[in-house]
Amino acid sequence: MARRKRRAFGQVKTSGRQFEASYPTPVGYGDKFGPLSERQYRRFDTEAAADAWLYQERKLIELDEWSPVSMRKAEARRRREQAVTFGEYAEHWVETRRKPDGSPRASGTIKRNRTMLRRHINPYFGDTPMTEISAKQVRSWIDTTADTMRNELTARHNSFVLLKAIFNTAATEPIDDAGDTLIAKSPAAGYSIPRPEKTHKTVPVTDAQIWRLHDVIRDDYGRPDLAVVPLIGLFEGMRIGEVLALRRCDVLTDTDEISVTASVKDENELDLSKPRHMVRGATKTKDSVRTLPIAPELREALYTYMAEHVPQDPDAPLFRAPRAGGFLAENSFTEVYVKARERVDGMHRCRFHDLRHNLLTRVSGVAGVAVAKRIAGHSDVSVTGGYLDAVGDDVLRRALDGSDGSSSASATAADNTIAGYATTLAQLSPEARAKTLDLLPADVAAKIMAAMIQQI
């Protein structure tokens, strides 16, 4: 057995593949540093390094310059952290940040954050140490981007939200056991950039228009698969990623239902060196997992398409990439959709997401916002309130146009429709209610507000 080396000061023990050096805490430092442990420890890769450390510690004691090892390690860590630039800290933040429930953030969110850092934030803050960024510098960024990003107001708002979140983490999350934070206070605290008003107005879509679009895509572009996608968008109100992630087994023909459990994602979205590979990923939120009844207007077209074009394999994608196979990418659909909508009167500005607005507006007027919320897969009813803006001839105007007394049936329909919307909006928060009313035509909003007053 090898004999333990005798040392005049301290001792060194093996600990796995490392060497643990320790010595008794010197007497007389309790008053200066508070309660201390009985021994001071550090680990090293070699015995020689451990001996060298013990020698240095003994010298510090002899020179009366000693301080607890833990305190020195914390100070060294703080110095390293303080030398970190915003660019370094922000990159780590974006790549490692998680949702409040601890789950990973979506790859699309990470990609957008990377873009905002590269284009709008790092050019201004990137090389500055985190501890040297001042409120004045943040104010300067806000003032500068008010001019340089005047045509990118949404990107400016979102970039500031990201900037503020990064600073908030640095100011609130401890970097050591003592609870110290990287910066004492966020330099962005107290500042805000209002969210710009929505520039795109939801386009109301009639059943006739969506069927015309279906025929254009199927017959003129020769894509019977893509022709069904807008039908699902309008009659089921699903997000485009949810539609493209559907498999044959997700269409429950026995019960006339669609099971929404995934959204199509690019598995290599964050690694541009790899080819695009579309897979079924998580839905936008946990509440987005839902089962929807298939609208009667959709059934025949959907079932006919499946019978003629979708393999019998239960896992077969409903909408298959023509060349690569597997699930279809969103831009492959959008490329055809954008061209086809130009050939349908009144749809040239209609985004696919507008179809979701149309369905939720219809449902809310008939069954109320709670039902619309469930169909949408929203976690908060106030979010659903922002979708009640697709007011068109076939939704509300038709009833209003007949409410002049010329037809008692039309007048009754108008009253019932207005009352339905009044009841729906009454369930929203004041802020969401005001926002929704502002999106509606003035005459329609006035009638709804009058009905709300009568219901009080």
Side-chain angles (χ1 to χ4, degrees):
M1 179 181 294
R3 297 179 60 188
R4 179 177 296 179
K5 181 178 178 180
R6 295 179 62 86
R7 293 175 174 82
F9 177 78
Q11 64 183 27
V12 177
K13 296 180 179 179
T14 57
S15 179
R17 295 184 177 182
Q18 289 187 309
F19 295 85
E20 182 184 77
S22 68
Y23 61 89
T25 299
V27 179
Y29 285 90
D31 294 339
K32 183 176 182 180
F33 298 110
L36 300 172
S37 59
E38 294 183 0
R39 297 184 71 83
Q40 303 293 305
Y41 295 88
R42 276 201 66 177
R43 291 189 175 191
F44 300 89
D45 292 332
T46 65
E47 187 174 11
D51 283 330
W53 179 75
L54 287 174
Y55 176 81
Q56 292 295 331
E57 292 295 296
R58 183 175 183 180
K59 285 295 183 183
L60 290 175
I61 296 172
E62 292 174 351
L63 295 172
D64 198 25
E65 295 178 355
W66 183 89
S67 60
V69 173
S70 60
M71 183 178 295
R72 278 178 276 153
K73 288 172 66 176
E75 180 60 29
R77 183 164 53 249
R78 277 194 294 272
R79 286 196 298 269
R80 289 195 302 272
E81 295 282 356
Q82 289 171 352
V84 172
T85 65
F86 175 88
E88 294 168 335
Y89 184 84
E91 179 182 3
H92 181 265
W93 190 98
V94 166
E95 301 300 329
T96 62
R97 200 67 185 165
R98 288 180 167 262
K99 296 179 182 179
D101 63 2
S103 60
R105 298 193 304 158
S107 58
T109 302
I110 296 174
K111 186 177 181 180
R112 288 191 294 273
N113 285 174
R114 287 178 179 177
T115 300
M116 286 188 282
L117 285 178
R118 184 181 70 254
R119 293 185 56 195
H120 308 306
I121 302 177
N122 279 346
Y124 201 90
F125 297 100
D127 295 332
T128 307
M130 284 288 290
T131 54
E132 296 181 14
I133 297 176
S134 63
K136 182 179 179 181
Q137 189 175 0
V138 173
R139 177 76 257 178
S140 177
W141 181 88
I142 293 174
D143 294 339
T144 300
T145 54
D147 180 58
T148 60
M149 298 180 69
R150 60 180 177 272
N151 296 323
E152 300 177 279
L153 295 181
T154 299
R156 177 173 177 256
H157 168 79
N158 292 339
S159 295
F160 182 74
V161 170
L162 174 61
L163 181 69
K164 199 165 187 177
I166 292 171
F167 282 136
N168 184 64
T169 298
T172 58
E173 294 192 359
I175 59 175
D176 56 32
D177 294 338
D180 297 312
T181 56
L182 178 56
I183 57 178
K185 180 182 178 182
S186 167
Y191 292 129
S192 64
I193 293 181
R195 182 183 295 276
E197 291 186 7
K198 180 181 177 182
T199 56
H200 174 75
K201 299 298 183 182
T202 299
V203 177
V205 177
T206 65
D207 288 5
Q209 286 175 311
I210 205 69
W211 284 110
R212 170 60 182 154
L213 179 66
H214 168 272
D215 293 345
V216 168
I217 296 176
R218 182 192 61 188
D219 301 333
D220 298 352
Y221 287 91
R223 295 298 301 270
D225 55 339
L226 301 189
V228 178
V229 174
L231 299 181
I232 299 176
L234 180 64
F235 296 126
E236 300 299 313
M238 292 168 58
R239 303 177 179 94
I240 181 60
E242 296 171 343
V243 177
L244 298 181
L246 290 173
R247 303 161 299 179
R248 172 175 276 277
C249 62
D250 295 320
V251 180
L252 313 175
T253 55
D254 290 343
T255 57
D256 291 324
E257 293 177 316
I258 292 179
S259 176
V260 183
T261 59
S263 183
V264 73
K265 310 284 184 182
D266 180 0
E267 187 178 43
N268 299 324
E269 185 173 20
L270 299 179
D271 189 348
L272 300 181
S273 65
K274 296 181 180 179
R276 187 172 62 184
H277 182 220
M278 308 311 296
V279 297
R280 281 168 52 86
T283 53
K284 187 172 183 179
T285 67
K286 293 180 180 179
D287 293 282
S288 298
V289 177
R290 59 203 188 279
T291 300
L292 302 172
I294 301 176
E297 301 93 327
L298 173 63
R299 291 173 192 167
E300 182 178 354
L302 176 59
Y303 293 162
T304 299
Y305 162 70
M306 291 176 60
E308 296 177 354
H309 300 283
V310 181
Q312 292 299 315
D313 180 1
D315 292 325
L318 234 57
F319 308 103
R320 192 170 183 270
R323 291 190 296 271
F327 293 95
L328 187 73
E330 179 179 341
N331 62 345
S332 297
F333 161 75
T334 303
E335 182 179 356
V336 175
Y337 172 78
V338 170
K339 294 177 182 178
R341 72 184 182 186
E342 297 298 319
R343 302 174 63 175
V344 180
D345 291 341
M347 287 196 68
H348 70 281
R349 293 179 53 255
C350 180
R351 298 175 179 175
F352 184 86
H353 207 65
D354 288 357
L355 305 179
R356 180 170 164 87
H357 282 243
N358 273 265
L359 179 75
L360 298 183
T361 300
R362 296 181 182 187
V363 170
S364 295
V366 176
V369 70
V371 176
K373 169 181 174 291
R374 182 172 178 181
I375 290 175
H378 288 152
S379 57
D380 190 334
V381 71
S382 64
V383 176
T384 311
Y387 282 73
L388 312 185
D389 58 352
V391 178
D393 291 342
D394 66 330
V395 179
L396 194 55
R397 288 283 191 183
R398 182 171 54 196
L400 292 172
D401 288 345
S403 62
D404 57 1
S406 59
S407 168
S408 59
S410 296
T412 301
D415 291 342
N416 290 340
T417 303
I418 290 295
Y421 276 100
T423 302
T424 290
L425 294 183
Q427 299 176 56
L428 302 178
S429 66
E431 295 79 8
R433 187 184 310 136
K435 180 180 177 181
T436 301
L437 287 169
D438 187 55
L439 294 171
L440 298 173
D443 56 340
V444 174
K447 291 177 181 294
I448 292 175
M449 286 189 287
M452 290 175 66
I453 293 174
Q454 294 176 1
Q455 291 178 1
I456 296 176

